[in-house]
Each structure stands twice: as structure tokens, then as C-alpha cells.
Amino acid sequence: MTRARGVPVRPGAPDDGRGDAASRTVLAKAAHENFPVAPFFLPRAWRGDLMAVYGFARLVDDIGDGDLAPGGEDAVLLGLDRSSAAEGGDRVALLDALEADLHRVFSDRAPGPLHPLMRRLGPTVRRCGLTPEPFLRLIEANRQDQRVGRYPAYGDLLAYCELSANPVGRLVLGITGTTSPERVRRSDAVCTGLQIVEHLQDVAEDLARDRIYLPGEDMRRFGVTEADLAARTGGAPVRALIAYEAERARELLNEGTPLVGSVHGRLKLLLAGFVAGGRAALRAVAAADHDVLPGPPKPTKLSLLREVGATLRREG
């Protein structure tokens, strides 16, 4: 039996080294997010717990997006038969298998979790007293991605963000022991804002997956068709639509920013980094004249640091 900071981990599937390699591949993606996932200045326990949650969230997104490594290794790790795994596995079947492994994380009965990222999650769940609900919502968001590729109204998109984004902020509050109704409300606003920013950056990539996260009612209002979104560059109507949605994201980030001022110490700096990541990304989108179709506009490290400083000054 292995241990993580004194918390026993129930044995699951044997680890032949391939699982560790798959886990490292998933966790390495943290470096490419718009915001710091588990920066060095946090206490070691927080960093480990945040990376454990990130590993789960990244894995479920990779399954939902069909981005798993060729060969279906994660399918094998989750207990699916090798013939299915050899084809990469059906996404819904993989999500079902992941949910079953999640229930093993929260169970005291053997066997333990199968996937190494899920075994890593177990100590965090027990140490922080986390509940299954936010993890299940993230899985459900990716199930919805298999069924729904268009969102008729802004309210429909917000409901999707309740599944796909807001649980992450609630998990951060749970890990840091700072959950309260007001903080949850502010956190939800920040997370939804960050999700919308990501949707704006990834319009072309999402369309290639037959998904559009721009509300249909807004597309009609600005005279934007799906063919317009498939162009190499955005025309004036597309750029006006992106600017409109970017302002919505900015308002959500502003609504949630008082969350930063409600905490202290290194947690304040972490949350300022989340907000700043969204704001810096919005600046990058604006600097591209809201033309996101050639590729996702990305903020520089300098712009991110400037936004962190501005956020801390406002909420200090």
C-alpha cells in the first residue's frame, strides 16, 4: 500500500509504468492554460491537491474532446476491453468508465481506482472532504458535448458552464477550506467568464469538432452564419459578435473579482491569477481586433503579470 502525505491509497490496477506516462502527459498540459493551475508559491499540500483535481478535469476533457493518445491506453487503464481500447474507445463508454472509477475513489470498498490519475485524486478527496457532485458535473458536461453542439440562447450556454466550469472553482474553494455561499457565487461568475473566454479563443477549433459555443440568438443578431465561422479570417460581423461576447465575459470576471478581496495571503494571489488570466486573454483577443479565426489569441506572461498586479491593487 502506498501513501500520499500520510493518507492511505487503496490499490487498484497494477501500474506497469505506462499509466504514469499517461498521467504525466495529462498533467503537463497545465503549463498551457490561461491561468496558473498550481503555482510554486502555494503550500505544497495545496499544489498537490490542485494538480490532482486538474488531472481529473483534464482527463475528462480529453475524453470528451477525443484527444486521447493513439492506442487507447487510457481506455485500458479504465478497465475497458482491449479491442475497444485499440480503437480509442467510444467517448460515452469512456466517460461511463471514468464515472465508475470516480465512484471507486469515494468508496471504501475494494478494488480501488483503476486509473493512476484517479488514484492520485483519492487522497485529495479524503483530506479535503470533497464530495462527488462537482466531479460528476464535469463528466456530465462532456457527455453533453457528445449530444449538443449548438446553444440557441445565452441562458443555455450559462447552464452548460454550470456543468463545465463552475465545479472547478468550487473544488478550489473546497481544497483551500474557504467555501461560503458568497464566495461560491463569486467563484461561479469567474469560472463562467473564464469558460466564455476560452470559447472565444477556440472558435475555429470547436467548429472543427462540430461545436459552436456562441449563442445562436447572438449569431442571428449580428448576421453571422456557420459558414462565416469556417472562414480563414473573421469579417466585420464575426468580429463584432466576438467583441460582444468578450464584453459579457469581462462583466462576469468583474462580478467575481471581489472573491479575491475576500481571502488573504497566498490564496489571494492564486485567485488574482485566475481573474488576471481571463483579463489578459481578453486583451489578447482585443489586440487581434477580435479576429479569433486564424488561431487562439494568447496573452503574454508580461500581460498576465500586469493584470495580476492590477487585480491585487483593486482588491487589496
Side-chain angles (χ1 to χ4, degrees), residues 150-153 157 196 199-200 203 211-219 224 229 238 241-242 245:
R150 307 292 187 274
Y151 290 84
L157 188 64
I196 292 175
H199 288 161
L200 298 182
V203 168
R211 300 175 191 166
I212 297 176
Y213 296 103
L214 301 168
E217 61 186 6
D218 295 342
M219 291 178 63
V224 173
L229 298 181
V238 171
L241 171 62
I242 296 301
E245 305 299 346

mmCIF file of all heavy atoms in Angstrom, residues 150-153 157 196 199-200 203 211-219 224 229 238 241-242 245:
data_model
loop_
_atom_site.group_PDB
_atom_site.id
_atom_site.type_symbol
_atom_site.label_atom_id
_atom_site.label_comp_id
_atom_site.label_asym_id
_atom_site.label_seq_id
_atom_site.Cartn_x
_atom_site.Cartn_y
_atom_site.Cartn_z
ATOM 1 N N ARG A 150 -24.784 22.956 -30.393
ATOM 2 C CA ARG A 150 -25.220 24.327 -30.627
ATOM 3 C C ARG A 150 -26.015 24.793 -29.410
ATOM 4 O O ARG A 150 -26.741 24.001 -28.792
ATOM 5 C CB ARG A 150 -26.108 24.438 -31.884
ATOM 6 C CG ARG A 150 -25.499 23.854 -33.153
ATOM 7 C CD ARG A 150 -24.309 24.642 -33.646
ATOM 8 N NE ARG A 150 -23.835 24.166 -34.941
ATOM 9 C CZ ARG A 150 -22.968 23.173 -35.116
ATOM 10 N NH1 ARG A 150 -22.506 22.504 -34.057
ATOM 11 N NH2 ARG A 150 -22.559 22.820 -36.327
ATOM 12 N N TYR A 151 -25.925 26.083 -29.101
ATOM 13 C CA TYR A 151 -26.624 26.649 -27.944
ATOM 14 C C TYR A 151 -27.499 27.803 -28.425
ATOM 15 O O TYR A 151 -26.985 28.862 -28.798
ATOM 16 C CB TYR A 151 -25.607 27.084 -26.876
ATOM 17 C CG TYR A 151 -24.957 25.875 -26.246
ATOM 18 C CD1 TYR A 151 -23.859 25.268 -26.853
ATOM 19 C CD2 TYR A 151 -25.493 25.290 -25.112
ATOM 20 C CE1 TYR A 151 -23.294 24.115 -26.315
ATOM 21 C CE2 TYR A 151 -24.940 24.146 -24.559
ATOM 22 C CZ TYR A 151 -23.849 23.569 -25.175
ATOM 23 O OH TYR A 151 -23.311 22.418 -24.632
ATOM 24 N N PRO A 152 -28.814 27.598 -28.425
ATOM 25 C CA PRO A 152 -29.714 28.599 -29.017
ATOM 26 C C PRO A 152 -29.653 29.953 -28.325
ATOM 27 O O PRO A 152 -29.744 30.994 -28.981
ATOM 28 C CB PRO A 152 -31.101 27.968 -28.857
ATOM 29 C CG PRO A 152 -30.849 26.497 -28.718
ATOM 30 C CD PRO A 152 -29.544 26.386 -28.011
ATOM 31 N N ALA A 153 -29.515 29.970 -26.993
ATOM 32 C CA ALA A 153 -29.598 31.220 -26.241
ATOM 33 C C ALA A 153 -28.465 31.298 -25.224
ATOM 34 O O ALA A 153 -27.865 30.283 -24.849
ATOM 35 C CB ALA A 153 -30.947 31.329 -25.531
ATOM 36 N N LEU A 157 -26.118 28.504 -22.723
ATOM 37 C CA LEU A 157 -24.669 28.445 -22.554
ATOM 38 C C LEU A 157 -24.288 28.557 -21.081
ATOM 39 O O LEU A 157 -23.386 27.854 -20.600
ATOM 40 C CB LEU A 157 -24.004 29.560 -23.358
ATOM 41 C CG LEU A 157 -22.475 29.513 -23.432
ATOM 42 C CD1 LEU A 157 -22.009 28.255 -24.158
ATOM 43 C CD2 LEU A 157 -21.934 30.759 -24.129
ATOM 44 N N ILE A 196 -16.174 31.261 -21.041
ATOM 45 C CA ILE A 196 -16.562 32.003 -22.237
ATOM 46 C C ILE A 196 -15.327 32.529 -22.968
ATOM 47 O O ILE A 196 -15.254 32.482 -24.200
ATOM 48 C CB ILE A 196 -17.534 33.146 -21.872
ATOM 49 C CG1 ILE A 196 -18.871 32.554 -21.405
ATOM 50 C CG2 ILE A 196 -17.743 34.086 -23.058
ATOM 51 C CD1 ILE A 196 -19.863 33.570 -20.906
ATOM 52 N N HIS A 199 -13.934 29.756 -24.913
ATOM 53 C CA HIS A 199 -14.759 29.506 -26.100
ATOM 54 C C HIS A 199 -14.433 30.507 -27.214
ATOM 55 O O HIS A 199 -14.396 30.137 -28.398
ATOM 56 C CB HIS A 199 -16.238 29.611 -25.749
ATOM 57 C CG HIS A 199 -16.739 28.468 -24.917
ATOM 58 N ND1 HIS A 199 -17.914 28.541 -24.182
ATOM 59 C CD2 HIS A 199 -16.242 27.228 -24.703
ATOM 60 C CE1 HIS A 199 -18.093 27.389 -23.553
ATOM 61 N NE2 HIS A 199 -17.097 26.583 -23.851
ATOM 62 N N LEU A 200 -14.220 31.748 -26.841
ATOM 63 C CA LEU A 200 -13.901 32.768 -27.844
ATOM 64 C C LEU A 200 -12.548 32.493 -28.483
ATOM 65 O O LEU A 200 -12.379 32.681 -29.693
ATOM 66 C CB LEU A 200 -13.924 34.158 -27.209
ATOM 67 C CG LEU A 200 -15.267 34.619 -26.626
ATOM 68 C CD1 LEU A 200 -15.143 36.031 -26.071
ATOM 69 C CD2 LEU A 200 -16.373 34.540 -27.665
ATOM 70 N N VAL A 203 -12.865 29.269 -31.163
ATOM 71 C CA VAL A 203 -13.995 29.157 -32.084
ATOM 72 C C VAL A 203 -13.678 28.204 -33.230
ATOM 73 O O VAL A 203 -14.468 27.308 -33.557
ATOM 74 C CB VAL A 203 -14.398 30.539 -32.623
ATOM 75 C CG1 VAL A 203 -15.376 30.395 -33.785
ATOM 76 C CG2 VAL A 203 -15.035 31.380 -31.525
ATOM 77 N N ARG A 211 -18.834 21.891 -32.956
ATOM 78 C CA ARG A 211 -19.411 22.553 -31.789
ATOM 79 C C ARG A 211 -19.295 24.065 -31.962
ATOM 80 O O ARG A 211 -18.272 24.567 -32.426
ATOM 81 C CB ARG A 211 -18.695 22.146 -30.498
ATOM 82 C CG ARG A 211 -18.743 20.662 -30.189
ATOM 83 C CD ARG A 211 -17.901 20.351 -28.975
ATOM 84 N NE ARG A 211 -17.704 18.918 -28.790
ATOM 85 C CZ ARG A 211 -16.805 18.394 -27.977
ATOM 86 N NH1 ARG A 211 -15.997 19.190 -27.284
ATOM 87 N NH2 ARG A 211 -16.684 17.086 -27.858
ATOM 88 N N ILE A 212 -20.340 24.766 -31.572
ATOM 89 C CA ILE A 212 -20.331 26.235 -31.565
ATOM 90 C C ILE A 212 -20.846 26.687 -30.205
ATOM 91 O O ILE A 212 -21.987 26.393 -29.840
ATOM 92 C CB ILE A 212 -21.210 26.816 -32.693
ATOM 93 C CG1 ILE A 212 -20.658 26.407 -34.063
ATOM 94 C CG2 ILE A 212 -21.280 28.337 -32.583
ATOM 95 C CD1 ILE A 212 -21.515 26.868 -35.230
ATOM 96 N N TYR A 213 -19.996 27.384 -29.475
ATOM 97 C CA TYR A 213 -20.372 27.873 -28.149
ATOM 98 C C TYR A 213 -20.709 29.363 -28.172
ATOM 99 O O TYR A 213 -20.593 30.049 -27.152
ATOM 100 C CB TYR A 213 -19.242 27.613 -27.151
ATOM 101 C CG TYR A 213 -18.963 26.150 -26.922
ATOM 102 C CD1 TYR A 213 -17.859 25.539 -27.508
ATOM 103 C CD2 TYR A 213 -19.790 25.369 -26.116
ATOM 104 C CE1 TYR A 213 -17.585 24.193 -27.296
ATOM 105 C CE2 TYR A 213 -19.529 24.021 -25.898
ATOM 106 C CZ TYR A 213 -18.431 23.448 -26.493
ATOM 107 O OH TYR A 213 -18.162 22.119 -26.286
ATOM 108 N N LEU A 214 -21.106 29.861 -29.323
ATOM 109 C CA LEU A 214 -21.623 31.219 -29.455
ATOM 110 C C LEU A 214 -23.139 31.106 -29.542
ATOM 111 O O LEU A 214 -23.657 30.361 -30.381
ATOM 112 C CB LEU A 214 -21.071 31.889 -30.713
ATOM 113 C CG LEU A 214 -19.545 32.006 -30.792
ATOM 114 C CD1 LEU A 214 -19.117 32.408 -32.201
ATOM 115 C CD2 LEU A 214 -19.031 32.996 -29.754
ATOM 116 N N PRO A 215 -23.889 31.816 -28.693
ATOM 117 C CA PRO A 215 -25.348 31.657 -28.697
ATOM 118 C C PRO A 215 -25.951 31.925 -30.084
ATOM 119 O O PRO A 215 -25.616 32.915 -30.743
ATOM 120 C CB PRO A 215 -25.819 32.695 -27.675
ATOM 121 C CG PRO A 215 -24.643 32.878 -26.757
ATOM 122 C CD PRO A 215 -23.437 32.745 -27.642
ATOM 123 N N GLY A 216 -26.850 31.044 -30.503
ATOM 124 C CA GLY A 216 -27.477 31.189 -31.814
ATOM 125 C C GLY A 216 -28.211 32.505 -31.962
ATOM 126 O O GLY A 216 -28.190 33.118 -33.037
ATOM 127 N N GLU A 217 -28.870 32.954 -30.890
ATOM 128 C CA GLU A 217 -29.608 34.212 -30.961
ATOM 129 C C GLU A 217 -28.670 35.382 -31.228
ATOM 130 O O GLU A 217 -29.047 36.339 -31.923
ATOM 131 C CB GLU A 217 -30.405 34.432 -29.672
ATOM 132 C CG GLU A 217 -29.552 34.532 -28.410
ATOM 133 C CD GLU A 217 -30.382 34.612 -27.141
ATOM 134 O OE1 GLU A 217 -31.620 34.481 -27.227
ATOM 135 O OE2 GLU A 217 -29.792 34.801 -26.054
ATOM 136 N N ASP A 218 -27.449 35.320 -30.700
ATOM 137 C CA ASP A 218 -26.485 36.390 -30.922
ATOM 138 C C ASP A 218 -25.916 36.319 -32.339
ATOM 139 O O ASP A 218 -25.657 37.361 -32.964
ATOM 140 C CB ASP A 218 -25.352 36.306 -29.898
ATOM 141 C CG ASP A 218 -25.840 36.543 -28.470
ATOM 142 O OD1 ASP A 218 -26.946 37.098 -28.307
ATOM 143 O OD2 ASP A 218 -25.124 36.158 -27.524
ATOM 144 N N MET A 219 -25.698 35.098 -32.817
ATOM 145 C CA MET A 219 -25.227 34.968 -34.196
ATOM 146 C C MET A 219 -26.227 35.594 -35.161
ATOM 147 O O MET A 219 -25.840 36.323 -36.091
ATOM 148 C CB MET A 219 -24.987 33.497 -34.532
ATOM 149 C CG MET A 219 -23.798 32.880 -33.804
ATOM 150 S SD MET A 219 -23.563 31.117 -34.164
ATOM 151 C CE MET A 219 -23.231 31.144 -35.929
ATOM 152 N N VAL A 224 -24.268 36.562 -38.382
ATOM 153 C CA VAL A 224 -23.148 35.628 -38.545
ATOM 154 C C VAL A 224 -23.692 34.228 -38.813
ATOM 155 O O VAL A 224 -24.564 33.741 -38.089
ATOM 156 C CB VAL A 224 -22.262 35.608 -37.282
ATOM 157 C CG1 VAL A 224 -21.201 34.504 -37.377
ATOM 158 C CG2 VAL A 224 -21.597 36.968 -37.079
ATOM 159 N N LEU A 229 -18.001 31.439 -39.676
ATOM 160 C CA LEU A 229 -17.080 30.954 -38.647
ATOM 161 C C LEU A 229 -16.052 29.989 -39.222
ATOM 162 O O LEU A 229 -14.996 29.765 -38.614
ATOM 163 C CB LEU A 229 -17.852 30.266 -37.521
ATOM 164 C CG LEU A 229 -18.848 31.134 -36.751
ATOM 165 C CD1 LEU A 229 -19.524 30.319 -35.648
ATOM 166 C CD2 LEU A 229 -18.175 32.371 -36.150
ATOM 167 N N VAL A 238 -18.435 38.904 -37.693
ATOM 168 C CA VAL A 238 -17.858 37.936 -36.747
ATOM 169 C C VAL A 238 -17.102 38.668 -35.650
ATOM 170 O O VAL A 238 -17.242 38.355 -34.452
ATOM 171 C CB VAL A 238 -16.929 36.943 -37.473
ATOM 172 C CG1 VAL A 238 -16.166 36.081 -36.457
ATOM 173 C CG2 VAL A 238 -17.728 36.056 -38.415
ATOM 174 N N LEU A 241 -19.438 40.226 -33.201
ATOM 175 C CA LEU A 241 -20.019 39.211 -32.322
ATOM 176 C C LEU A 241 -19.033 38.817 -31.234
ATOM 177 O O LEU A 241 -19.400 38.718 -30.052
ATOM 178 C CB LEU A 241 -20.415 37.985 -33.148
ATOM 179 C CG LEU A 241 -20.844 36.738 -32.363
ATOM 180 C CD1 LEU A 241 -22.092 37.013 -31.532
ATOM 181 C CD2 LEU A 241 -21.083 35.563 -33.317
ATOM 182 N N ILE A 242 -17.780 38.579 -31.593
ATOM 183 C CA ILE A 242 -16.772 38.193 -30.613
ATOM 184 C C ILE A 242 -16.569 39.306 -29.583
ATOM 185 O O ILE A 242 -16.441 39.053 -28.381
ATOM 186 C CB ILE A 242 -15.435 37.862 -31.312
ATOM 187 C CG1 ILE A 242 -15.599 36.647 -32.232
ATOM 188 C CG2 ILE A 242 -14.341 37.598 -30.284
ATOM 189 C CD1 ILE A 242 -16.052 35.383 -31.544
ATOM 190 N N GLU A 245 -19.479 39.148 -27.095
ATOM 191 C CA GLU A 245 -19.358 38.062 -26.133
ATOM 192 C C GLU A 245 -18.183 38.308 -25.176
ATOM 193 O O GLU A 245 -18.236 37.929 -24.000
ATOM 194 C CB GLU A 245 -19.181 36.724 -26.852
ATOM 195 C CG GLU A 245 -20.265 36.393 -27.862
ATOM 196 C CD GLU A 245 -21.672 36.295 -27.266
ATOM 197 O OE1 GLU A 245 -21.810 36.223 -26.038
ATOM 198 O OE2 GLU A 245 -22.644 36.299 -28.060
#
